[in-house]
Amino acid sequence: MRSQPLTLMEHINACQRSFPEATGSFSLLMESLALASKIISREVNKAGLGKLLGLAGRRNIQGEQVARLDDFANDTLVHSLTRGGTCCALASEELAVPIRLPGAEGAGRYAVVFDPLDGSSNIDVAVSVGTIFGVYRRRSPEGGLGDASDLLQSPGKLVAAGYALYGSSTVFVYSAGQGTHGFTLDSGLGEFLLSHPSIQIPERGGILSINWANRGRWDEKTRRAVQAYEDAEETGPCSARYVGSMVADAHRTLLCGGLFAYPGDTKNSSGKLRLLYEAGPMAFLFEQAGGVATDGSKRILDKTPDALHDRTPLVLGAAGDVAVFAEALAK
Ligand code: AHM
Ligand code: MG
């Protein structure tokens, strides 16, 4: 008999069995995230047919235009995570302040950070976008509202992280600290099925993913580091790939190898990407897949955000690829 691939929930439940003290709350939380991803995927795929393309007519806390689908994705995640009763606090790229949730004793054990729809500038042109999330264990006392201490944690303390990529297929990649695993949505079944077990980033990639048009705003060291990567013999002939949706660029980097970088520049010395809900979760996934995530000098998982929307330079890749870039940056 042909064996069926594991569903996402079968995989999560199997991993949870190695924790006899598990209450089922984490599995329920992951189910809420998977359900939200399926709903967002469905809307993204038919966005051009409904009224979901275009701008929502407001700017977020970072001054960026919010797209209608950003709002839809944010509302979907908030609703799904609130309804499950597993969370005490939520922070999102689209929310100026976090949502604090009431919880009975034993409920609301987790705090979730997310970018509901990463790559917003690609939405209206049918290019891949994604959802990124990170899950922390609650730090505030159980039984009451969650607070900022639950959310402003170092990504090194993540219990789990993941992303959903709405691309030529919809892929859900997650890690709960036991490797990084990828699932592909079978839309007929409505299930994420295991397609990429135990992802290991290839040792050498040779694909550079960076917004080259920003080079006029980079400092000399960054320019040298990019050049060093392009010229390095170890990385082989270098090709460029830049979607402009980090989820898509990071997913390709995880599977095919190479280097993804969004360095600081004169517009923003810390780059564009947010530590809490973009760089942090991605760093967790890369390390769990044998890769490296740094801001150029410091490991992302060793950083701690001071504020919800703090930014950080980000370099992702296999150890050898990141070393070529980081060593040239340090010179
Ligand atoms: P967003 O969360 O508002 O979509 O912004 C983040 C995105 C990332 O997906 C991507 O890596 C980056 O912005 C692209 O920025 P740029 O257009 O400056 O290259
Ligand atoms: Mg984003």
Side-chain angles (χ1 to χ4, degrees), residues 88-136:
C88 63
L90 308 175
S92 159
E93 177 176 325
E94 303 307 341
L95 296 170
V97 289
I99 295 179
R100 303 173 64 195
L101 298 166
E105 201 72 40
R109 290 166 182 253
Y110 297 99
V112 180
V113 296
F114 51 90
D115 179 353
L117 208 55
D118 181 62
S120 308
S121 64
N122 282 325
I123 294 174
D124 284 359
V125 289
V127 173
S128 304
V129 288
T131 297
I132 310 171
F133 63 86
V135 179
Y136 289 104

Side-chain angles (χ1 to χ4, degrees), residues 19-320:
F19 299 102
E21 69 285 5
T23 61
S25 187
F26 178 75
S27 300
L28 203 57
L29 166 62
M30 292 300 291
E31 200 164 6
S32 304
L33 288 163
L35 174 63
S37 303
K38 287 185 222 173
I39 296 171
I40 298 167
S41 172
R42 190 183 60 192
E43 291 309 308
V44 165
N45 279 313
K46 59 174 189 182
L49 300 174
K51 294 203 172 76
L52 276 174
L53 290 188
L55 299 174
R58 68 177 181 89
R59 287 179 185 270
N60 64 17
I61 181 77
Q62 292 137 96
E64 299 159 344
Q65 291 272 13
V66 176
R68 288 200 180 104
L69 265 177
D70 283 325
D71 270 346
F72 176 85
N74 189 61
D75 293 349
T76 303
L77 280 155
V78 169
H79 182 71
S80 189
L81 290 166
T82 305
R83 196 171 63 170
T86 55
C87 301
C88 63
L90 308 175
S92 159
E93 177 176 325
E94 303 307 341
L95 296 170
V97 289
I99 295 179
R100 303 173 64 195
L101 298 166
E105 201 72 40
R109 290 166 182 253
Y110 297 99
V112 180
V113 296
F114 51 90
D115 179 353
L117 208 55
D118 181 62
S120 308
S121 64
N122 282 325
I123 294 174
D124 284 359
V125 289
V127 173
S128 304
V129 288
T131 297
I132 310 171
F133 63 86
V135 179
Y136 289 104
R137 218 177 293 287
R138 141 174 236 161
R139 285 206 297 201
S140 61
E142 272 191 27
L145 288 173
D147 61 33
S149 71
D150 300 313
L151 296 161
L152 289 178
Q153 301 196 49
S154 163
K157 295 255 187 304
L158 281 163
V159 173
Y163 58 77
L165 168 63
Y166 315 114
S168 53
S169 55
T170 294
V171 176
F172 189 96
V173 174
Y174 92 101
S175 174
Q178 297 173 315
T180 296
H181 312 281
F183 300 76
T184 302
L185 182 62
D186 180 324
S187 50
L189 286 177
E191 293 276 7
F192 285 111
L193 301 178
L194 183 61
S195 50
H196 299 78
S198 303
I199 297 171
Q200 281 294 308
I201 185 168
E203 265 177 42
R204 290 274 181 237
I207 300 174
L208 175 62
S209 193
I210 195 164
N211 188 341
W212 180 241
N214 288 345
R215 66 190 180 285
R217 298 202 300 259
W218 296 336
D219 63 14
E220 199 41 48
K221 283 182 173 183
T222 305
R223 259 182 238 133
R224 270 210 310 269
V226 173
Q227 192 66 54
Y229 186 78
E230 288 176 336
D231 294 345
E233 266 173 37
E234 311 93 283
T235 52
C238 187
S239 248
R241 294 280 187 281
Y242 189 72
V243 177
S245 293
M246 184 181 52
V247 176
D249 285 317
H251 186 64
R252 186 199 54 250
T253 307
L254 259 189
L255 297 189
C256 304
L259 189 88
F260 170 86
Y262 206 115
D265 56 37
T266 52
K267 193 165 147 197
N268 195 328
S269 59
S270 297
K272 180 177 182 190
L273 302 172
R274 276 55 56 120
L275 174 59
L276 195 59
Y277 43 79
E278 293 179 319
M282 218 43 105
F284 186 81
L285 292 164
F286 267 68
E287 288 209 2
Q288 285 291 321
V292 170
T294 164
D295 67 2
S297 57
K298 191 168 181 180
R299 186 175 169 240
I300 296 289
L301 296 190
D302 289 338
K303 297 182 77 149
T304 304
D306 295 319
L308 290 179
H309 303 288
D310 278 2
R311 295 172 196 261
T312 178
L314 178 63
V315 183
L316 298 170

